[in-house]
Amino acid sequence: MLAYRFEREGGLMKKVLLGSTALIAAGVLAVPAMAQSAAPGKQPQPLRLGIGGYFQAYGVYVSQPDGVGEYGQNRREFDLKREAEIHFTGSVKLDNGLTVGAQVELEAEVCSDQIDESYLYFEGGWGKLILGSENSAGYLLSVGPPSVDGNFDGLDPNYRIINGLGSGALNRSTEAWLVNISGDSEKFTYISPRFAGFQVGVSYTPDNSEEATAGQVRAKGGSFAGMPSNKQSDTSAARWEDVIAVGVNYTNKFGPVSLAVSGSYERGSLSGCVVSAACSGYDDRETWGAYAKVGFAGFEVGGGYWEDDNGLRGDNKSRAWGGGVTYGVGPFVVGASYLNSEREQPGLDDDKMQRVLVGGRYTYGPGMDLRASVQWYGLEADRSRPSADGDSWAFVLGTTVSF
């Protein structure tokens, strides 16, 4: 029913969202003058940015099937994996209670996405309005199951250490199981205040070509390219526009028991094609997920389910379910997680992946963790694709430092 209403009323929904955003923005931007005059003789303070971020480093040993034609063939067994970002963040609270803030995230290594997320936000008793490159409301409000190291077994992991997962002849199951069609593409997002434990949010993304790459005009970042194209190039597909995301979560405590539940939904319309053949097989895209976790006496237990039709016609859906349990005492946390992921393959048996992770972490300083885990991956695929099948083991030891 929700998908039907979005499809039939997409134009109206977009107008309502844009109109609502405009009203909120007008209200937000209309009050700074009053705030500055509220305290005679007091000089208003400008927004200043500070520096923060994180650095992660892991030693990883992986044992994969490495025979002729298998996915571990000619692959190293040991490697150093790292991920780091420098964050420029700041906020200022005006005399009327309005908070204005900004965040820019710089990758600490040269990559195609040098600036990860960058956005401006306004926040007050009415909620929070986010403008710019940031994940959607569905992503931001999702409550993931317990995880001993979210960089490997979270809803949206930072690392892929098994070569058998990917596109082409590889297994197309995924370790990420979170609503995220629009990624960090430029968008408008509104997050409500929390009321009786509930919080809701909605996002509108004009198109999901993050930073206008992959076939769309580079019209963002202050360039003089004009408005972006509403069509994909003849060499690029898999782009969606007018993406609507909705998220809701509920958190509360009942005596010694804590509860967190979330649901999210995201839908985008397929962009037009200059050459229709480039988009053959593609369609509008829809994804949703639901998650929950319960905490008691140091334990956390939870799980979730997710689906994504991948914006493809026919039998091409991805789905995943899983859960985890952790126990924490003082600076120590131990736990385990399980993920079962599937991807339909037209005319073939589904690609499947199971992952089991057992590990722990130790907090040795403020924002500083030592983490270790043992991971098993079981990949299954149609017998015609042996390179997408097999079992692997990984042994991981590393540290994460936030600053």
Side-chain angles (χ1 to χ4, degrees):
M1 179 61 73
L2 184 58
Y4 173 80
R5 292 191 52 155
F6 268 100
E7 186 172 3
R8 293 294 303 274
E9 302 175 15
L12 176 61
M13 177 63 71
K14 182 172 69 171
K15 293 177 181 178
V16 171
L17 285 171
L18 290 175
S20 301
T21 302
L23 289 174
I24 294 173
V28 167
L29 298 176
V31 294
M34 294 188 295
Q36 293 177 10
S37 63
K42 181 180 178 181
Q43 185 69 22
Q45 296 297 310
L47 173 62
R48 292 186 173 90
L49 299 181
I51 295 180
Y54 64 86
F55 200 111
Q56 306 167 358
Y58 291 91
V60 178
Y61 174 84
V62 178
S63 175
Q64 309 182 95
D66 58 1
V68 176
E70 294 181 314
Y71 62 79
Q73 182 182 8
N74 299 325
R75 298 291 180 173
R76 294 183 60 88
E77 293 182 335
F78 183 78
D79 197 15
L80 172 65
K81 301 295 185 184
R82 55 77 61 89
E83 158 74 4
E85 292 184 354
I86 307 298
H87 295 174
F88 302 92
T89 62
S91 64
V92 60
K93 189 172 184 177
L94 305 180
D95 294 336
N96 67 336
L98 176 68
T99 296
V100 182
Q103 179 157 325
V104 179
E105 301 177 0
L106 172 67
E107 298 286 353
E109 56 275 323
V110 177
C111 64
S112 59
D113 185 24
Q114 199 63 64
I115 300 296
D116 186 7
E117 298 168 354
S118 59
Y119 55 88
L120 182 68
Y121 67 87
F122 303 89
E123 189 170 14
W126 44 269
K128 185 175 184 178
L129 177 66
I130 305 171
L131 309 175
S133 172
E134 169 63 307
N135 289 301
S136 71
Y139 184 108
L140 296 174
L141 294 182
S142 290
V143 175
S147 168
V148 74
D149 191 344
N151 293 319
F152 293 93
D153 65 346
L155 291 179
D156 189 17
N158 268 344
Y159 304 98
R160 170 175 289 175
I161 56 178
I162 302 300
N163 293 99
L165 298 172
S167 58
L170 300 178
N171 192 300
R172 297 190 180 188
S173 301
T174 178
E175 324 92 305
W177 49 311
L178 180 63
V179 172
N180 197 21
I181 294 177
S182 59
D184 295 337
S185 300
E186 308 291 338
K187 59 175 61 69
F188 306 89
T189 296
Y190 169 72
I191 306 292
S192 76
R194 190 168 295 281
F195 178 74
F198 287 94
Q199 189 171 37
V200 299
V202 60
S203 296
Y204 170 70
T205 306
D207 68 73
N208 79 321
S209 56
E210 183 176 338
E211 297 170 353
T213 58
Q216 297 221 6
V217 176
R218 292 178 176 271
K220 301 176 175 67
S223 75
F224 289 85
M227 300 298 286
S229 172
N230 63 358
K231 292 184 178 296
Q232 307 178 48
S233 74
D234 57 356
T235 59
S236 172
R239 289 285 167 252
W240 293 272
E241 61 186 12
D242 296 331
V243 182
I244 304 297
V246 180
V248 58
N249 67 34
Y250 172 81
T251 61
N252 211 336
K253 291 198 70 174
F254 304 91
V257 178
S258 63
L259 173 65
V261 181
S262 71
S264 49
Y265 173 86
E266 195 163 355
R267 187 184 191 281
S269 300
L270 181 66
S271 297
C273 282
V274 176
V275 179
S276 60
C279 291
S280 62
Y282 287 89
D283 206 341
D284 296 345
R285 188 172 178 182
E286 184 178 68
T287 177
W288 66 274
Y291 317 94
K293 64 180 176 182
V294 177
F296 175 76
F299 286 95
E300 278 196 329
V301 181
Y305 180 84
W306 161 89
E307 280 191 4
D308 184 359
D309 64 13
N310 292 301
L312 295 169
R313 298 171 186 169
D315 298 327
N316 280 288
K317 182 177 292 185
S318 295
R319 62 178 63 86
W321 62 271
V325 55
T326 60
Y327 175 73
V329 54
F332 296 95
V333 176
V334 294
S337 66
Y338 172 77
L339 176 67
N340 187 306
S341 175
E342 298 182 3
R343 166 66 187 269
E344 295 175 346
Q345 294 291 327
L348 301 173
D349 292 340
D350 295 350
D351 283 353
K352 299 178 181 180
M353 181 201 71
Q354 296 183 79
R355 184 192 65 214
V356 176
L357 184 149
V358 179
R361 65 178 183 264
Y362 168 71
T363 301
Y364 60 89
M368 305 175 191
D369 290 334
L370 181 67
R371 305 184 179 196
S373 63
V374 177
Q375 307 174 24
W376 171 78
Y377 294 79
L379 277 57
E380 297 181 36
D382 190 88
R383 65 180 60 187
S384 65
R385 302 167 59 240
S387 61
D389 194 280
D391 291 359
S392 296
W393 287 88
F395 302 88
V396 176
L397 177 63
T399 184
T400 66
V401 177
S402 299
F403 48 89

